[in-house]
Amino acid sequence: MATRTDAPTRREQILKEAARLFAERGFHGVGVDEIGAAVGISGPGLYRHFAGKDAMLAELLVGISGSLLTGAKQRLKEADGVAAPEAVLDSLIEGHIDFALDDRPLITLHDRELDRLRDSDRKLVRQLQRQYVELWVGVVRELYPELAEPAARSAVHSVFGLLNSTPHLTRPGSLPGRAGTAELLHRMARGAFAAAGSR
């Protein structure tokens, strides 16, 4: 999501504004007309793109989980046989930081609205997330082989909690700019893994 450079489609524009509005005011606090107005089309016009708000929410939450997993798999594929475990972990961290800084409304949505998804969509989100976590666990254990699998998994979840805290840092001046924030988060993530892997 954050790495695209081409112009977004109308569907992507709708999803972006829906995510922003849902994160700001809650899923039930936003009407279809407001989402349409944010992208310059009538509320009923949205139904040419989505069946309704529930469909938008599902696509947002399933979509970002799938995007994170696909991005991580691509990073591992590119590093296969050519990069040290430390560099692979750095690459995974960088990818998640891009998400945490550029798609903050989706973090808020996930925290607040995941339970509003249909069971099938919620299960799919969880399945994608588990696969994403396990990719990280494999890399972390390759770098810190003495770290037991349950401890590595706990460390990965803890680092996700750290990186996904960015929506709470919204007060003006609370962040040192995007580059500075990314560098700080990266150092903190690596420090957390190093602490978990030390004895």
Side-chain angles (χ1 to χ4, degrees):
M1 273 190 148
T3 58
R4 285 189 53 151
T5 57
D6 51 327
T9 66
R10 175 50 60 97
R11 188 180 180 87
E12 290 168 335
Q13 290 172 343
I14 293 168
L15 286 172
K16 181 177 180 181
E17 289 305 314
R20 179 183 65 80
L21 290 167
F22 292 160
E24 287 176 0
R25 304 214 309 270
F27 180 74
H28 288 304
V30 178
V32 171
D33 289 340
E34 295 169 271
I35 298 170
V39 294
I41 61 177
S42 68
L46 286 180
Y47 292 109
R48 289 196 299 271
H49 301 277
F50 296 96
K53 288 196 314 176
D54 290 337
M56 291 180 211
L57 182 64
E59 186 156 334
L60 284 165
L61 294 181
V62 172
I64 192 55
S65 297
S67 179
L68 283 168
L69 177 60
T70 298
K73 285 181 176 179
Q74 183 62 35
R75 287 170 183 269
L76 265 60
K77 182 179 178 182
E78 291 170 356
D80 189 29
V82 297
E86 186 173 69
V88 178
L89 182 58
D90 281 336
S91 180
L92 288 177
I93 292 170
E94 287 164 9
H96 199 96
I97 287 173
D98 284 343
F99 158 66
L101 292 179
D102 298 336
D103 292 309
R104 282 186 260 178
L106 293 177
I107 297 173
T108 301
L109 269 189
H110 181 276
D111 290 346
R112 290 184 191 162
E113 313 289 358
L114 181 64
D115 287 343
R116 298 194 189 282
L117 294 181
R118 294 179 308 172
D119 285 347
S120 58
D121 289 327
R122 189 168 56 252
K123 287 177 182 176
L124 179 55
V125 168
R126 294 300 193 195
Q127 178 185 9
L128 293 167
Q129 289 174 339
R130 282 193 297 271
Q131 292 177 50
Y132 183 60
V133 167
E134 293 312 306
L135 287 179
W136 281 68
V137 169
V139 173
V140 169
R141 293 197 71 211
E142 192 172 353
L143 185 57
Y144 301 104
E146 290 107 12
L147 191 61
E149 188 173 303
R153 192 170 292 110
S154 294
V156 168
H157 281 291
S158 296
V159 167
F160 288 172
L162 166 69
L163 299 180
N164 291 348
S165 68
T166 56
H168 306 292
L169 307 175
T170 55
R171 187 172 51 83
S174 63
L175 297 175
R178 192 194 188 287
T181 301
E183 194 275 335
L184 175 63
L185 289 172
H186 198 120
R187 280 192 288 112
M188 293 175 71
R190 283 302 304 271
F193 284 127
S198 66
R199 294 192 156 233

